[in-house]
């Protein structure tokens, strides 16, 4: 990999692991930023190089227009990730990030760079549609929606200037994820792990289980206590799920260890 070892405008590496055998791309939720995953590298350790994606329209990129659709954002992210596919690449996305992660994984597969795994967190499977229109609410209505999901630090709501700053990106993200419809395509050839909070109003057990339909490889469903943002309180447990899924298979006595990771096509 050439270029800035810390990352790029799109890719943030809070704790680079240049010798790690696998990279994990992390895609944040609606209104979220790359810093949501700043603590994950320490939890995963030296075996995983974490690449957190920074969408346009927030934090240091708030002067840029937000993506007009999931499809456009997926193409942009995929183009940024292709130079990082010199080693196995896995994808983790939460909520909007899970939808985006699925489309990015499909694009990488179409480019001959199938990820070794997709971790889809806090979102129903693409084949399970619900009518949603939170992006059409007025500001107060949208803020109530966000508060109900407990996805934003309560201190943000106490700062009116900060609310005005972040709300356009949140609304734009809600719009693209709520209007997105996955185009039927061949399923992924990599394992999918669906992760969800047991009290998440956005995902039923059946909707989470339906991710199985989108892969020809292995599937697992992991449920945690908590709601839509279960992972903020369960970060260490989520990291263990990721580490276990990406760990090399145990060597059979008398044979050399296989050079590839589980799920590597």
């Amino acid at each position: 990999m050439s270029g800035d070892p810390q990352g790029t405008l799109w890719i943030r590496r809070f704790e680079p692991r240049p010798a790690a055998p696998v990279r994990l791309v992390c895609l944040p939720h609606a209104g979220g930023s790359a810093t949501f995953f700043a603590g994950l590298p320490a939890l995963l350790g030296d075996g995983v190089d974490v690449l957190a994606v920074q969408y346009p329209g927030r934090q240091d990129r708030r002067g840029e227009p937000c993506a007009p659709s999931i499809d456009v954002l997926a193409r942009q992210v995929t183009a940024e990730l292709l130079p990082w596919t010199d080693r196995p690449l896995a994808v983790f996305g939460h909520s909007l990030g899970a939808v985006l992660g699925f489309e990015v994984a499909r694009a990488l597969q179409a480019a001959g760079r199938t990820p070794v795994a997709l971790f889809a967190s806090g979102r129903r499977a693409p084949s399970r549609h619900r009518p949603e229109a939170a992006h059409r609410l007025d500001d107060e209505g949208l803020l109530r929606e966000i508060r109900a999901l407990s996805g934003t630090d309560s201190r943000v709501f106490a700062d009116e200037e900060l609310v005005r700053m972040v709300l356009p990106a949140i609304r734009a993200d809600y719009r693209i994820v709520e209007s997105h419809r996955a185009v039927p395509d061949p399923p992924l050839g990599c394992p999918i792990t669906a992760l969800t909070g047991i009290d998440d109003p956005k995902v039923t057990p059946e909707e989470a289980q339906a991710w199985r339909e989108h892969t020809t490889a292995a599937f697992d469903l992991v449920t945690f206590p908590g709601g839509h943002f279960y992972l903020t309180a369960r970060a260490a447990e989520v990291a263990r799920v990721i580490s276990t899924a990406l760990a090399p298979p145990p060597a059979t006595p008398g044979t050399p260890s296989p050079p590839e990771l589980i799920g590597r096509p």
Side-chain angles (χ1 to χ4, degrees):
M1 176 67 197
S2 61
D4 180 4
Q6 300 301 318
T8 66
L9 188 65
W10 286 82
I11 308 297
R12 309 298 164 93
R13 296 169 83 197
F14 299 107
E15 296 183 34
R17 311 276 199 235
V22 63
R23 292 185 169 121
L24 178 69
V25 178
C26 293
L27 302 164
H29 52 280
S33 60
T35 52
F36 185 74
F37 298 104
L40 189 56
L43 295 173
L44 291 175
D46 293 338
V48 181
D49 188 19
V50 176
L51 313 179
V53 173
Q54 183 80 319
Y55 307 145
R58 66 221 63 214
Q59 291 188 336
D60 58 333
R61 302 191 68 187
R62 67 177 179 270
E64 303 174 50
C66 294
S69 69
I70 289 289
D71 291 336
V72 168
L73 188 56
R75 288 196 295 270
Q76 292 171 326
V77 171
T78 301
E80 292 291 328
L81 291 178
L82 284 173
W84 299 87
T85 57
D86 58 318
R87 69 186 62 180
L89 192 74
V91 179
F92 180 100
H94 180 67
S95 197
L96 174 148
V99 177
L100 178 62
F102 175 66
E103 298 296 352
V104 167
R106 293 208 293 188
L108 288 170
Q109 179 167 284
R113 298 289 187 270
T114 303
V116 294
L118 170 63
F119 300 93
S121 169
R123 187 70 184 181
R124 61 187 175 273
S127 56
R128 298 299 185 267
H129 173 64
R130 286 192 202 181
E132 293 178 305
H135 69 280
R136 295 177 181 168
L137 298 171
D138 62 17
D139 287 355
E140 283 304 314
L142 184 55
L143 287 171
R144 283 194 298 272
E145 168 82 7
I146 299 164
R147 288 189 186 101
L149 295 177
S150 302
T152 302
D153 190 322
S154 60
R155 291 170 296 181
V156 171
F157 297 111
D159 187 328
E160 184 177 345
E161 183 178 354
L162 188 54
V163 168
R164 286 200 302 269
M165 185 182 301
V166 302
L167 204 55
I170 294 174
R171 185 181 299 281
D173 287 354
Y174 267 71
R175 181 180 58 77
I176 66 173
V177 73
E178 290 178 345
S179 61
H180 181 68
R181 302 291 180 272
V183 177
D185 265 342
L188 290 173
C190 67
I192 295 179
T193 299
L195 305 94
T196 184
I198 194 168
D199 297 318
D200 188 348
K202 293 290 188 181
V203 189
T204 68
E206 187 277 334
E207 288 171 332
Q209 186 72 31
W211 279 99
R212 180 187 296 275
E213 302 168 10
H214 297 283
T215 179
T216 58
F219 172 78
D220 193 17
L221 172 60
V222 185
T223 303
F224 297 89
H228 189 63
F229 280 90
Y230 72 89
L231 70 175
T232 57
R234 303 281 172 175
E237 295 167 61
V238 171
R240 283 195 292 273
V241 170
I242 295 170
S243 295
T244 299
L246 297 181
T252 302
T255 62
S257 299
E260 299 288 353
L261 297 172
I262 293 175
R264 180 68 172 170

